[in-house]
Structure formats: structure tokens, C-alpha cells
Amino acid sequence: METLESLLAAIAPTGESRDILNPATGELVGKAPIHSVADLDAAVDAAEKAQPAWAALGHAKRSEIMNKAADALDENAEALAQLLSREQGKPLNGPNARFELGGASAWLRTAAATPLETEVVVDDESGHAEITYRPIGVVGAIGPWNWPIMISIWQIAPALRMGNTVVVKPSEYTPLSVLALINVLNSVLPAGVLAGVSGDREVGARLSSHPTIGKIMFTGSTATGKAIIRSSADTVKRLTLELGGNDAGIVLPDVDPKAIAEGLFWGAFINTGQTCAALKRLYVHDDIYDEVVAELTAVTGAMPMGVGTDENNVLGPLQNKAQFDIVDRLVESAKSSGAKVMVGGNPDRDQPGYFYPATIVADIENDNPLVQEEQFGPALPVIRYSKLEDAIAMANGVEVGLGASVWSADASKAREVASQIVSGTVWINSHGGVHPMIPFGGSKQSGYGLEFGVEGLKALGIPQIING
């Protein structure tokens, strides 16, 4: 079992490095290696050489090894959570660092256990045809800084299960957690099957254009996703892109405001709002608007925020100064427009760390930048509506469509509304929850391709039709 210190020692750079600082305190967490394009090329070459033997093991043996890797992950979960909390900023408790490590283990085990049977599509007097899936080869995985360990596993697990090898490029903001994760997994996996390369945009651009890489999995901004599409085009790579979101929630007038307040809060503020599929715009019917705002304000004001390693906190800092500035700008814009800040909105700019208080903004117009732009932080605008068709139109009125939610005491009515919302997922009376067997993906400019479950496994293989 590793300690925090031994995890950092195992990934300590031998060459050029840069400091990684705790976003809550400004203290040094560790030093990250600065890998080069040549380092990436070497990792891809090793992965290409290792892939045939890994594929030849077959699904059962690969799954057995993956379960042993999950055991190693569980054995080292606390040290990884401590590192994650310091590097990313999220608290240990609540739906945060320890939760993330538990989810990573669950997704790894589920990918190992999910069957993908040969599908017979025709079997009659006209003939016999079936679909099976072959490995792609080498998969490039580019991850974000908000859920660095969990999302890395979302990319790694199905790729390995399908017989691919994987080269991971973590975010420049959170490389240590991902490199430590890979080091733990590699205590079980065969050499060359999984590698991490910590580099800058040049390394990422090379990964997305590398002729040996057969598929790119990317979670991050829509702008970066578009750049990956362009750079991958010449080699016709397969892509799974989970891009930006600006998720809407619609609250119907038949709900109990007090009963839904905590669900609304966590839908919006999980990981201090730094989640692609978090609730980012809330539309509430005029009949219950004031009550919903009051109950949500009370819940928000009671949630403790602070340094992640304090066991009492459930909200942490924003991970980096650039994200703090985005949230700050959008809330200040809302204030200037006459919107009403019910709680929060007043960061202490003299304290260490990128802390922005959990903020509820009421009496705000739908065209306000805080509503129309993805804030990706702890500031939720609550917009009043009187006609349901107007709320649906406003929910659909942005160019992204990752997730949405409908809140109602009438499940059939909620599903009717959900069917009119253009997004990859619509939750009923909750927001943002994911399950390893339920496919997840976006619509519009939130990307394409599905992750999780059987569909997620298929996305990491090349379909082959056997006809005859």
C-alpha cells in the first residue's frame, strides 16, 4: 500500500519539471515531469508493440487482469484521494475525492465484467450475418482537470477491455493524480499497455495527429474538441468527444420546493460546480419561484467550503485562477445588470486559494451572460418563467446539449417535457448522476460518441461483419 509520499516519489521527474501548487493554499504539492513530443512518440511506439499480445489474451484474461488492477486501485485509494484533494482542490469528503476513487474502481470493474456478445443480425433462409468487434489498436486519451482520476478511468477501462493499449495525456493542471493512478495500475498491467505523458499543448496536438493512434477519447471544452477534430482528420481517427455543457433544469409548479432543494444544490454544486454535466441554468415556474429560491439559498448557505484536506468541508476552491476569473466576471456582470445575489457573490480576494463562495443569483434575465455562458463554477442563475413552452425554448436555446433535468411530482408529465429537450441525457428529479451501465454522451456542440456500458465498449472496437 502506497503513501502520499511514495506515490509522489514513484512519479518524480528525472528531467525537466514544473511545480504543481495546491489551489486551496498555494503550497507545493509536487513536481510534474515536462514530457516532450519525443517522449510521446516513445510511449506510442511501446504501446503499439504491446498491443497484439494484450489483444491475444482474450476478453476473459484481460478482465481478470483489470480486476486485479482495480484491487490495486482500492488498496491505494486513500493515498490517491489525498493527492487528488491537494492537486485538484476538492475536499476528501462529500461527493469529492474519496467518492471519485470509489467511482473509478467501480467503472474499472464494470468494464471488466460487461459482456459484449457477437450479435447475429440475420439468420434465416437468406443467409447468416453477425457483428463482432476487433480492437482499434492504440487509443489516445486526453483528460480534464475537474475529475482527473474518474474520467481517466472512463477512458482507460473500456479501451483496455476491448484489447487496445492506451496513452494518456492528463491536464496540465492535474498531472500528478493521473500519473500516480497509472503507476498504480501498471503494478499489475503488462509493460507498455498503459502510459502517461505529461506535456503541453504541443504534446496534445501530436497525440491527436499521431499516425499510429487509432482513436482519441477527449473530455474538455468544445473549442479544444474542435481543434482535435481538425488535427485528427488527416489520419481519419475515430473520436469520442465529451465537450462543454450548459445544462438546464426546469422546475414545474407541482413540486415541493423544500423537498427538491438539496437535490438541486448537488446537481449544480457537485465538485464546486466544476462538472460538465452540472446544473448550470435553473428555470422555475412563477408560482413557486420565490419558495424554490429561498429553500435553495438556505441549503447553499449551510454548506461548508474550505481546504480540501479538512474533513469537515464539502466544497473546495476553483482549481485554477483562469476558472476563478471566469466565474467572477460572470457574477459581476449579473450584479451590474440588476440581478439579485441571494447568497455568495463576494469572494475574499485577500485569502490564499481560488475560493469563490457558492452563489445563487435570482431575478436574472435569460440573455444574461451568466445564463448563456458556461460558468463551470459555484454560481447558479435562477430564471423565472410562466409558460412551460417558454422554459423549454430557453433550455434549448444554446448551442450545447450535454444534460438537462425536469423536476415534477408527476413522472409522466416530467417525461413528456424531457422528450422536448435537446440534450444527451435528461434526468427526472435529479441532475448529473451517471451509472457505469447507462450510456452517456452529448448532442449539438457537446460532442459525439457514447461512453459506459455495452455502447461504450463498442465505441472502443472496430465492428466487423461476418457475412455467410
Side-chain angles (χ1 to χ4, degrees), residues 101-450:
L101 266 297
S105 175
W107 253 264
L108 186 56
R109 294 185 190 281
T110 301
T114 301
L116 180 57
E117 307 293 347
T118 297
E119 180 183 356
V120 177
V121 292
V122 170
D123 188 22
D124 56 23
E125 65 279 359
S126 68
H128 179 93
E130 58 189 36
I131 303 175
T132 189
Y133 290 84
R134 302 172 59 84
I136 295 168
V138 183
V139 171
I142 305 173
W145 48 258
N146 58 334
W147 295 91
I149 286 179
M150 175 86 88
I151 291 176
S152 290
I153 288 292
W154 289 357
Q155 298 169 333
I156 292 166
L160 294 182
R161 167 70 171 74
M162 294 300 291
N164 305 291
T165 52
V166 188
V167 177
V168 179
K169 182 198 173 297
S171 166
E172 295 174 66
Y173 288 114
T174 53
L176 299 178
S177 299
V178 177
L179 294 177
L181 166 71
I182 290 170
N183 184 69
V184 168
L185 298 179
N186 278 341
S187 68
V188 174
L189 295 171
V193 166
L194 175 63
V197 180
S198 173
D200 57 17
R201 291 184 180 181
E202 185 180 7
V203 172
R206 172 61 174 167
L207 184 65
S208 60
S209 63
H210 199 293
T212 302
I213 299 288
K215 170 153 187 159
I216 294 291
M217 300 187 75
F218 171 72
T219 297
S221 72
T222 297
T224 303
K226 291 176 180 179
I228 289 172
I229 293 169
R230 288 190 291 268
S231 62
S232 67
D234 284 346
T235 50
V236 197
K237 297 190 192 311
R238 288 159 173 79
L239 300 174
T240 294
L241 304 174
E242 195 262 89
L243 307 179
N246 191 359
D247 288 15
I250 298 178
V251 180
L252 303 188
D254 60 1
V255 300
D256 176 354
K258 189 175 184 64
I260 67 168
E262 189 163 341
L264 289 172
F265 172 84
W266 284 117
F269 292 98
I270 187 171
N271 198 30
T272 315
Q274 299 166 109
T275 297
C276 294
L279 174 60
K280 298 186 174 83
R281 303 173 287 147
L282 184 62
Y283 298 93
V284 181
H285 193 275
D286 187 66
D287 288 354
I288 57 168
Y289 182 89
D290 292 336
E291 292 175 82
V292 169
V293 168
E295 295 292 347
L296 186 52
T297 297
V299 171
T300 302
M303 293 292 177
M305 172 182 283
V307 176
T309 51
D310 182 332
E311 299 276 353
N312 296 308
N313 292 324
V314 295
L315 298 174
L318 289 159
Q319 202 286 322
N320 54 78
K321 178 64 161 55
Q323 199 57 49
F324 178 95
D325 289 344
I326 290 170
V327 176
D328 194 23
R329 170 179 62 82
L330 291 172
V331 174
E332 290 302 312
S333 172
K335 288 180 185 178
S336 298
S337 74
K340 185 176 181 181
V341 175
M342 305 300 296
V343 64
N346 56 340
D348 181 352
R349 303 176 196 282
D350 296 324
Q351 72 169 339
Y354 305 125
F355 288 98
Y356 198 96
T359 301
I360 301 295
V361 180
D363 298 330
I364 186 169
E365 296 299 320
N366 186 61
D367 61 359
N368 191 280
L370 180 59
V371 180
Q372 293 299 308
E373 298 180 31
E374 183 184 23
Q375 69 276 51
F376 213 72
L380 179 67
V382 188
I383 304 97
R384 189 188 303 264
Y385 77 90
S386 56
K387 295 181 179 179
L388 181 57
E389 57 267 32
D390 292 340
I392 294 170
M394 288 187 290
N396 288 335
V398 295
E399 61 188 13
V400 290
L402 187 58
S405 58
V406 181
W407 303 73
S408 174
D410 183 338
S412 62
K413 177 63 175 177
R415 290 190 179 92
E416 178 189 337
V417 175
S419 69
Q420 300 175 65
I421 298 175
V422 183
S423 68
T425 300
V426 182
W427 291 275
I428 305 298
N429 294 326
S430 67
H431 195 110
V434 290
H435 186 288
M437 288 303 295
I438 299 176
F440 179 73
S443 64
K444 298 194 280 189
Q445 292 193 31
S446 287
Y448 44 74
L450 291 172

